[in-house]
Amino acid sequence: MLDISPAEWTAILLSLRVAVIATLVATPFGIALAWLLARREFWGKPVVDALVHLPLVLPPVVTGYLLLLTFGRRGLVGAWLADNLGIVFAFRWTGAALACGVMSFPLLVRPIRLSIEAIDRRLEQASSTLGAAPWQVFATVTLPLALPGVLAGMVLGFAKAIGEFGATITFVSNIPGETQTISSAIYSLIQTPDGDAAAMRLVVVSTVISMGALIASEWFARRATRRLHGN
Amino acid sequence: MLRVDVTKQLGEFSLEAKFESQGRVTGLFGASGAGKTSLINMIAGLLRPDRGVIALDDETLDDTSAGVHVPPHRRRIGYVFQDARLFPHLNVRQNLDYGRQMNRVTADPAQFSRITDLLDIGSLLDRRPGRLSGGERQRVALGRALLSKPRLLLLDEPLGSLDEGRKEEILPYLVRLRDEGIPMVYVSHDAAELRQLATQIVMLKRGRVTALGGVKVLT
């Protein structure tokens, strides 16, 4: 039915790898930030809040360019990471994952934050009177009760990451086999004569992946909600 | 022995309470809004006094002039809330076991079955809190607090959310609990309830202690 070429497979698998890694690496940071924004008052909180949401409102090409300036070979952070830890983002698939992680971060954080804000703090108080230290309260009450939000955030973030285009192509270009994701492959194919059929195949694949992610998130959320209602 | 001498400003409301209690069951009596819950939240460590001292036996739990504030999880003070506050994602057995696990104490099956027998909750162990009646929930909350081996048990209107029939169901268990010998602070606005349970009364009115003594002060 879908006669997918090896080159197209490469783009599909790369997209999946980039989106999965971006989501998995971003999630712990997302949970930590969501918790801080939901539960702590600190100096500069509005600024942190705005920074988290910035990729949502900035033109993606600006985010990509800022990433290039910061994490590129000669960027302040990029040069340090390359010299000291041997981690290179520029024109690598890891850079695509970084771009996708940054771009999807607001979508990851928001549902987690909302679900933490929705937790009855009195349950956390009950936990502490039973002898739970703050980290135990978080691990045994806050996090399990926020789980539907965490899963929803992960799926939304994944869906955003797999469709990311502007920041990725600006930061790490469009190199087949290294940084060419489904989106940038479609972009290339559309500009190639006779590329329509191949582009169409990738459109179908990306639609199926996104639909699958949404259905999975619904299923997880419903299961988790049932658990939380204590039945 | 429990010693409390604190002040706390909460918006327009000011709380100034000073009392000492040797009693096994200290009844904290007053109308709603008298500051009872704020006071036991301070004893539990959930609320910090603006000024003052809270001490239990030989240990100072709060002393604002010395900068002492023992956090709730290190106080070993059990708390039974009016609304039970069972963990909805855990079943009854896991709720009961929660305190023991947080304090990393080895399991004590004898104590576990003694408490579940005392409160008649042995048949509920595999249920989720959402499937319990109000009275059952309150008994599980009692068991959960008891099994964390507290040296003082705070009860904030544990019958407050129950109708008359349910109250009659729980009261005998509270009497059994009193006879277990764990010191308790029992908060209520119901004089009849306190007459049955308390050995000493602290009467609170608009944030001030207005009477101290035996259950006779309730008249």
Side-chain angles (χ1 to χ4, degrees), chain A residues 135-146:
Chain A
W135 70 268
Q136 289 176 308
V137 174
F138 177 79
T140 61
V141 177
T142 317
L143 193 56
L145 290 174

Side-chain angles (χ1 to χ4, degrees), chain B residues 92-130:
Chain B
V92 169
R93 185 193 305 277
Q94 292 164 326
N95 265 284
L96 291 171
D97 227 19
Y98 187 87
R100 181 186 69 73
Q101 287 185 336
M102 291 305 109
N103 297 304
R104 301 213 180 84
V105 179
T106 47
D108 184 350
Q111 172 73 352
F112 189 88
S113 53
R114 214 176 59 80
I115 299 288
T116 52
D117 287 349
L118 181 85
L119 297 164
D120 285 332
I121 49 179
S123 61
L124 308 175
L125 295 179
D126 295 320
R127 282 206 227 160
R128 287 295 186 90

Side-chain angles (χ1 to χ4, degrees), chain B residues 10-37:
Chain B
L10 296 153
E12 295 287 286
F13 181 78
S14 88
L15 180 65
E16 247 185 85
K18 179 174 178 175
F19 67 88
E20 270 186 31
S21 178
Q22 299 277 8
R24 274 186 309 161
V25 179
T26 309
L28 207 51
F29 177 75
S32 58
K36 308 187 295 289
T37 299

Side-chain angles (χ1 to χ4, degrees), chain A residues 122 127-128 132 140 227-228 230, chain B residues 73 83 85 88-89 98 128 130:
Chain A
R122 296 172 310 165
S127 162
S128 70
T140 61
R227 244 164 52 90
L228 297 189
Chain B
H73 67 278
D83 49 355
R85 301 192 196 179
H89 57 301
Y98 187 87
R128 287 295 186 90

Side-chain angles (χ1 to χ4, degrees), chain A residues 8 184-200 202:
Chain A
E8 289 155 32
S184 36
I186 293 175
Y187 173 72
S188 295
L189 286 166
I190 294 171
Q191 297 188 320
T192 317
D194 307 321
D196 291 348
M200 211 50 224
L202 288 179

Side-chain angles (χ1 to χ4, degrees), chain B residues 117-178:
Chain B
D117 287 349
L118 181 85
L119 297 164
D120 285 332
I121 49 179
S123 61
L124 308 175
L125 295 179
D126 295 320
R127 282 206 227 160
R128 287 295 186 90
R131 304 253 160 146
L132 300 177
S133 72
E136 287 169 341
R137 227 170 277 167
Q138 211 49 272
R139 267 146 59 199
V140 174
L142 274 170
R144 182 177 71 171
L146 278 176
L147 282 164
S148 71
K149 302 212 167 136
R151 45 187 181 162
L152 175 70
L153 190 60
L154 308 172
L155 301 106
D156 186 10
E157 307 247 10
L159 308 181
S161 61
L162 305 176
D163 55 47
E164 281 308 315
R166 292 288 168 198
K167 282 183 189 174
E168 293 307 312
E169 174 195 322
I170 304 288
L171 214 49
Y173 294 108
L174 292 174
V175 175
R176 280 193 209 176
L177 219 65
R178 179 188 64 188

Side-chain angles (χ1 to χ4, degrees), chain A residues 59-146:
Chain A
V61 64
V62 172
T63 307
Y65 187 56
L66 289 174
L67 283 173
L68 189 61
L69 291 180
T70 318
F71 290 95
R73 275 285 196 186
R74 273 171 290 170
L76 208 62
V77 182
W80 188 88
L81 283 175
D83 294 343
N84 294 287
L85 301 173
I87 299 173
V88 177
F89 288 111
F91 307 112
R92 299 278 174 83
W93 74 270
T94 46
L98 176 64
C100 290
V102 168
M103 289 300 288
S104 62
F105 203 60
L107 294 175
L108 172 77
V109 169
R110 191 158 184 81
I112 304 177
R113 178 184 179 172
L114 289 176
S115 66
I116 291 176
E117 280 171 349
I119 294 172
D120 191 343
R121 301 197 67 163
R122 296 172 310 165
L123 289 173
E124 296 171 333
Q125 291 185 334
S127 162
S128 70
T129 65
L130 291 163
W135 70 268
Q136 289 176 308
V137 174
F138 177 79
T140 61
V141 177
T142 317
L143 193 56
L145 290 174

